[in-house]
Amino acid sequence: MKTKEAIQVASAHLQKLVGHSFDVLSLSLPLSVEAALNLTKVVSKLSPLLGNLIEFNTVEFLNGLPEFKPLGHWKRQDPDFPDALFEGNISPSPGFEIK
């Protein structure tokens, strides 16, 4: 498999995830108005956490695809670019920057 084909195959599978929810974090309703106000002060701190969890889940998903198993594996890179990089028998290595 060539780099361009690997990106096309992985992209096609990732596009099937549109609307999919990764079960990585749950927030419940605040118990009071004060709790809700406090939550608004920290909710922006969830963004890096959620981004990392999405990256982990994406790499796990890609590693579950049978097309890539005989060729190598996807790994998450942090803080390197791209976020998900394929290591194996494809050169240059395909990757995805996940946003």
Side-chain angles (χ1 to χ4, degrees), residues 11-96:
S11 294
H13 284 286
L14 290 172
Q15 287 174 353
K16 293 177 187 174
L17 292 176
V18 170
H20 174 77
S21 295
F22 289 114
D23 188 19
V24 295
L25 180 69
S26 296
L27 294 176
S28 58
L29 289 174
L31 299 175
S32 66
V33 172
E34 291 80 18
L37 291 172
N38 285 329
L39 184 59
T40 65
K41 295 174 185 174
V42 299
V43 75
S44 65
K45 293 175 174 73
L46 292 176
S47 180
L49 172 67
L50 291 174
N52 282 291
L53 292 171
I54 290 169
E55 291 169 11
F56 287 129
N57 278 275
T58 300
V59 167
E60 290 294 317
F61 173 77
L62 291 172
N63 279 326
L65 299 174
E67 294 95 323
F68 295 107
K69 288 187 188 258
L71 303 173
H73 68 278
W74 292 90
K75 76 169 195 169
R76 180 180 171 266
Q77 300 193 117
D78 184 32
D80 295 333
F81 177 86
D83 295 323
L85 181 71
F86 188 79
E87 289 187 331
N89 298 331
I90 303 173
S91 183
S93 296
F96 290 97

